[in-house]
Amino acid sequence: MTDSTADAPAMGSVHDLDEHRAARTGEPVTLNKPDVAPDDSEAAPDGGAVVEAVDRPDNPLADWLTVPDAPVLPAWARSTTSVKANAGALCRLTWWHARFHAFRTPKYLFKTVLLAARGFYRAGAGLWPALSAADHTAAVRALAAQSKLRPEDVELATRLQAAHAERTRSRRWRFGAAAVAVAAAGVGFALADPLMQTGMATAVTVPLAYLGRGKETHLLDQGAPPIRVDMSAAQLNDALRAAGLLKTVSGKDGDKDAPRVSCTMGPVRDGRGWAVIFDMPRGGGKTASDVLAKREVIAQELGVDEIQVIMSRVRAAKGGNAGRVSMWVADDDPYLADPTPSPLASLEKFSIWDAVPFGQDARGNRVSVPVVWQSMFFGGLPRRGKTFTQRLMTAAGLLDPWVRHYVADFKGGQDWMGMRHVAHRLVLGAEEDAIEAFKNMLAELLEEMERRFALFRGLPTSICPEGKLTPQIIEKYRMPFIFLTVDELQEAFLAMDDKDREAVVDDLGRIARRGPAAGFISNYASQRPDAKSVPTKLREIITIRCCTQVTDKTSSDMVLGSGKAAMGADASLLSEEHKGVTVLVTGPASYATVKNDLLTTSEFNALALKGRALREAVGQISGDAAGDIAAGAGRAGVTIAPVLSDVLDVMRHSDRMHSVDLLNRLVNADEDRYGDWDLDKLAAELDAAGVKRTTKQINIKGKNLAGYRRADLEAAVPEELLLAARAVDPSPSTNATA
């Protein structure tokens, strides 16, 4: 057996602790910092001398030698550009005030004369005691009273006589001196030249006018409207504290110790209002969303209406956090100004790829809305500008020849009649034939959507990289954007039974959900955005929402989305005066109250004619627009009786109609023209237009009444127009129902 310990590795060494301690050298280790600073001569690692810090706690001169952080020059004087800009602004302001007061010079002169007259009265009232020797009168009255009590006192009587004589001499001297001074001034004024007279009158009038002024008297008019709203950090904190967003600390030093917001900007003047950006204090448990929810209370505490308070969160992308709020408080209602004309009215062409000009926000900033890859929903009370706002989007599509329009107006009035020149499919009214035509239109759109997706799947990624419509695909395959506009959706849904309504909602939802990638742009509008009129499953997939005035926050949330009112997007704050003002939501946290641009019906119809000319140039007139007889007559220079043109429009979805229904639709389309017509006048006017009825009685669903056939109406149209319409669109009545 071998000794294994000889080959075993050493596991450690044994030391004597006393010998080890004695062998140690150097100073003992301590965790305390030495009080003595290192020697200044000690070299730095790079070879340079170590510079002693000035702000050491043991340096008694640290506070005195600390360089202030404040800039040497004010902000406006730090650059030549800023100095020039401020100097220019001062010159413009001075010139404006000079013109403002120059036009009011006659008024100022008249006010000066009135003030001088009042000053003269005050001066006379002030000098009268001196002229009348009031100082002697007191002594005379006292002596007279004593003499009356003691008439036998001769000495007292003598003193009274002497005092009375002295007062008389003083009055004569003082009134005489005043009369001489006035006479001398009058003679001097009469003998002076006009320039001297002007100076003398000014020298007298100005002091008198100054003497006649009052505490509330202002000689000059206010050059700018007085600021109705003032704001300070203290007022902001008080308002937030009253709203329950800041804690209230009781006690003697409560105001000093109470939590306050931290203002990262302002409050400062910004246009016609005050702007401030602030952070909620930590430890209070309140966020920016809590501040937005208290908008009404904050407005009340600041002494303004809620519509004047514009608040939003400042997100991290703009340097914000969960407690940072941007607030702008207007001096007055910023949405009561006259609407701005839409720039679309003066354009000759527009690309739908660009954002559509929409309006202005409270501060006057332009608001534009991108519509490509989007779907839109407009809601609100009637007669608040909802249709005018919705038409802004469609109008932009009119000026792009590579946009094909499908329009359904279930009100059937004049708002969308101009689209007959452009629309591939146009449905007007909410009658049974119009509803059936609308269903056929949706079926056509769904078929086109699936055809496009099938084409995209077969294209290489170099042409269709994202499986979406591109400008190259549009022109190469002549595949334009499809703009679907549906107005008064509630009228269509209320006219359907539950089964048909469910099917139509599913079709509209599919178009809004899958259509954008295929180039479909949905543009829906409804007056009653409730669960029955516009179902939730349709509203919730819409990306862009816009709402005019509504009655309450619940209705506002139905249009703009659940919880949007609590975030500040609340259309119930709008009043009857806010016509054409909408709350626009473009994303989960993006919203603005907008004063929409104004595009009148006549301007919209003119854009429709421009749109037709643009489409004719690229061969994009199709469908109902290609087969529109009335529009073709105008282009061919052929005259058709207006009543015949209107009857063909209202019967575009039917091949026969009773006279009663026909007249009702005419009145609905143009009440000014047909409001006082009866059946006899309608028959007489159509006879004068050349309509020859093959039969006067029309049987529709078992009801046999007087009526007209579309074939008889078209027979009154020149044959060349009918042939031209058939050649362009061989089946203009594809959607017609018997």
Side-chain angles (χ1 to χ4, degrees), residues 426-590:
L426 178 61
V427 176
L428 299 174
E431 293 77 16
E432 185 177 351
D433 56 338
I435 296 296
E436 193 65 28
F438 180 60
K439 295 177 184 177
N440 294 335
M441 183 175 75
L442 293 179
E444 179 181 337
L445 287 170
L446 291 173
E447 183 180 353
E448 173 66 13
M449 184 174 67
E450 297 302 332
R451 184 186 73 84
R452 293 189 175 198
F453 280 128
L455 175 64
F456 293 165
R457 288 193 294 269
L459 293 176
T461 55
S462 59
I463 299 178
C464 187
E466 298 181 0
K468 295 181 180 180
L469 195 66
T470 64
Q472 293 75 19
I473 295 176
I474 288 177
E475 296 189 11
K476 181 176 182 179
Y477 295 94
R478 303 189 68 80
M479 188 180 293
F481 275 102
I482 290 183
F483 208 119
L484 172 60
T485 302
V486 184
D487 195 9
E488 306 294 352
L489 256 176
Q490 79 283 349
E491 296 296 330
F493 289 150
L494 295 177
M496 301 177 187
D497 57 29
D498 293 340
K499 183 178 179 180
D500 288 344
R501 185 187 306 113
E502 189 70 20
V504 169
V505 169
D506 289 340
D507 291 344
L508 291 173
R510 289 177 61 191
I511 293 174
R513 184 169 51 253
R514 300 183 61 230
F520 284 56
I521 302 172
S522 303
N523 186 15
Y524 305 145
S526 173
Q527 289 182 5
R528 295 176 52 193
D530 53 31
K532 185 175 181 180
S533 301
V534 185
T536 304
K537 68 179 182 179
L538 174 60
R539 295 199 311 268
E540 292 303 318
I541 61 176
I542 304 296
T543 54
I544 296 176
R545 305 186 188 191
C546 190
C547 188
T548 60
Q549 183 198 7
V550 291
T551 56
D552 50 35
K553 296 181 183 293
T554 302
S555 299
S556 179
D557 279 349
M558 284 185 177
V559 178
L560 301 177
S562 178
K564 288 296 187 292
M567 295 174 54
D570 185 5
S572 66
L573 297 179
L574 303 177
S575 64
E576 291 78 4
E577 292 79 14
H578 294 129
K579 189 173 183 180
V581 179
T582 60
V583 179
L584 175 68
V585 173
T586 57
S590 301

Side-chain angles (χ1 to χ4, degrees), residues 43 105 566 676 717:
T105 300
D676 57 350
V717 179

Side-chain angles (χ1 to χ4, degrees), residues 586-702:
T586 57
S590 301
Y591 62 88
T593 303
V594 183
K595 179 76 172 179
N596 304 125
D597 295 336
L598 177 62
L599 184 69
T600 64
T601 301
S602 60
E603 291 173 337
F604 181 77
N605 293 338
L607 290 181
L609 295 176
K610 286 184 182 179
R612 185 176 185 95
L614 291 172
R615 284 160 178 78
E616 287 176 343
V618 296
Q620 284 298 309
I621 294 294
S622 60
D624 293 348
D628 188 87
I629 296 174
R635 294 189 300 275
V638 179
T639 301
I640 296 180
V643 63
L644 179 58
S645 174
D646 292 340
V647 168
L648 288 172
D649 275 332
V650 299
M651 286 185 63
R652 63 172 56 243
H653 310 304
S654 301
D655 64 349
R656 63 178 75 102
M657 187 175 295
H658 291 142
S659 298
V660 175
D661 297 332
L662 181 58
L663 182 58
N664 289 335
R665 294 194 184 188
L666 288 173
V667 173
N668 184 49
D670 193 349
E671 187 175 0
D672 294 336
R673 176 181 294 181
Y674 301 107
D676 57 350
W677 282 33
D678 55 17
L679 297 180
D680 293 335
K681 185 172 183 179
L682 176 62
E685 292 291 338
L686 288 176
D687 289 342
V691 176
K692 305 299 182 183
R693 287 193 280 185
T694 56
T695 176
K696 293 186 177 182
Q697 297 297 113
I698 301 297
N699 191 322
I700 301 177
K701 294 185 177 181

